[in-house]
Amino acid sequence: MRKYLLCLLLFCYSLVYAQSNALHSFDVTGGVGWSNIGYKLTELQQTGNIGALFHVGYNFHPVSWMSLGVGLDFECDGAMARGNLMRTWSSVTDTDGENYDHSLQLVNWKERQQLWLLQIPVALQFIIPAEKVSVLFQVGAKYAVKIGANVNTNGTTMHIGYYTPWHLTLQDMEQYGFYTADFRSKNQLKTATDGTWHIFAKAGVAVPMTSRLYFIANLYADYSLTNIFQTVDATSPIGVRNDKEGMQNIHYFMPDYTSVLDTDIANLENSKLLNVGLELGIRYVLKTTKHSHSHRKKYPCRCLMD
């Protein structure tokens, strides 16, 4: 026990002593990659979408091999639902009072969900210094606040009627509610909360451009610890009553379409965000105190000293 306590005291002492030679740096980076929201669909295909990250940060270097960082991130995340689907409502009543089966087909359906987050990251970075290329490893946590969320949908709807007594199929008869239409919509995306906690990690390199300016490249991964969407069992069937003006009364039996996430084909139990990609940027190292060259020799790399 005394050995561990002694090691801890020595470590703390080294940090306090090193503050006299501490460095400060600032990062500006931007990245693109792949993102996804982990919900599942029973009848359409769920895929990821393009993700993006912009970061501005400050780093405090108490020693040459480690830094503590805080910053501000702007992140764009998203997912997509696509494919074809058919729904049938049995024994509905038409405008003449006759019962029939109404089939709705979604053809080449594409729905894109997007989230914009403002994040405050706190990170611990480890540095393997070298004269030409230093290696960087970073782990940390973020608190993210939603600043925007929407869903964009486009595709083709086909309404088909089948009258059982006459074995009659009606299609492309708009006056009776049977038609093909192009559908486009943009709606607000409902989320469970405006704030979420994330964990993230980065691994990359720093290449000196001048004695103070460095080019940095990182692979990054960001994962939310809480669900983005509220975990409830949606019971509303998928429907597109709002695909053509004036058809709401004829298609009274189906709901308006807002998002596939509001329907019974969506499972939101694991709707967590994942964003991975490559970021590029610069780091500027600022030293606040002056020391002799003998002190500078204690730092083994150009990435922390000039």
Side-chain angles (χ1 to χ4, degrees):
M1 183 67 181
R2 292 181 179 178
K3 182 189 298 184
Y4 295 118
L5 181 59
L6 179 60
C7 292
L8 179 60
L9 290 175
L10 290 174
F11 178 73
C12 293
Y13 173 77
S14 66
L15 291 182
V16 173
Y17 176 78
Q19 287 183 6
S20 62
N21 295 309
L23 297 172
H24 308 270
S25 66
F26 299 90
D27 295 344
V28 178
T29 61
V32 294
W34 176 88
S35 67
N36 202 356
I37 308 174
Y39 66 86
K40 296 181 180 179
L41 301 175
T42 58
E43 296 182 56
L44 293 176
Q45 180 184 6
Q46 194 270 6
T47 63
N49 202 357
I50 296 175
L53 175 68
F54 178 77
H55 168 76
V56 177
Y58 160 76
N59 305 296
F60 171 67
H61 303 259
V63 291
S64 62
W65 51 269
M66 185 185 71
S67 69
L68 304 172
V70 66
L72 191 65
D73 289 0
F74 175 78
E75 185 172 299
C76 177
D77 302 285
M80 290 192 69
R82 61 176 65 194
N84 302 310
L85 180 147
M86 186 174 73
R87 274 287 187 272
T88 299
W89 288 262
S90 300
S91 299
V92 297
T93 304
D94 64 12
T95 55
D96 294 329
E98 298 288 345
N99 289 336
Y100 75 103
D101 297 337
H102 189 103
S103 295
L104 168 67
Q105 293 185 16
L106 306 183
V107 182
N108 295 327
W109 205 252
K110 296 180 181 179
E111 176 177 303
R112 181 179 182 182
Q113 302 108 22
Q114 287 184 302
L115 288 171
W116 289 272
L117 304 175
L118 192 64
Q119 303 171 321
I120 301 176
V122 178
L124 178 64
Q125 184 176 87
F126 298 96
I127 304 167
I128 301 177
E131 182 68 19
K132 294 184 178 180
V133 179
S134 297
V135 180
L136 312 175
F137 298 98
Q138 187 176 144
V139 293
K142 298 180 180 182
Y143 185 73
V145 178
K146 182 187 72 175
I147 57 176
N150 63 39
V151 53
N152 293 275
T153 308
N154 65 82
T156 301
T157 59
M158 298 177 62
H159 296 270
I160 303 171
Y162 180 72
Y163 290 78
T164 303
W166 304 286
H167 301 288
L168 177 65
T169 299
L170 296 183
Q171 189 173 358
D172 297 327
M173 300 179 69
E174 184 173 334
Q175 66 273 27
Y176 297 107
F178 311 125
Y179 55 84
T180 299
D182 292 328
F183 180 78
R184 295 180 182 274
S185 72
K186 182 177 182 179
N187 297 288
Q188 293 295 314
L189 186 61
K190 301 176 183 177
T191 58
T193 177
D194 290 334
T196 54
W197 283 100
H198 298 233
I199 56 175
F200 70 95
K202 297 181 180 182
V205 295
V207 181
M209 301 171 65
T210 68
S211 61
R212 297 296 184 187
L213 189 64
Y214 298 85
F215 170 77
I216 56 178
N218 289 315
L219 296 174
Y220 66 86
D222 183 344
Y223 182 73
S224 69
L225 298 176
T226 52
N227 285 333
I228 300 301
F229 304 117
Q230 186 176 1
T231 306
V232 296
D233 294 329
T235 57
S236 175
I238 192 167
V240 195
R241 184 175 58 180
N242 52 328
D243 63 347
K244 188 177 284 289
E245 188 68 28
M247 293 297 168
Q248 285 79 3
N249 292 333
I250 296 178
H251 298 156
Y252 65 90
F253 45 86
M254 68 175 67
D256 288 340
Y257 187 91
T258 55
S259 171
V260 68
L261 302 177
D262 298 328
T263 69
D264 56 0
I265 71 170
N267 184 341
L268 308 180
E269 290 183 358
N270 191 33
S271 55
K272 294 181 173 63
L273 279 176
L274 176 63
N275 191 336
V276 296
L278 172 67
E279 66 172 357
L280 306 175
I282 58 173
R283 169 171 293 181
Y284 181 76
V285 178
L286 174 68
K287 193 171 187 298
T288 58
T289 57
K290 295 183 179 180
H291 297 279
S292 65
H293 288 282
S294 61
H295 284 140
R296 295 185 181 186
K297 292 179 181 178
K298 293 181 181 180
Y299 293 87
C301 70
R302 290 179 57 198
C303 66
L304 293 177
M305 290 294 293
D306 58 3

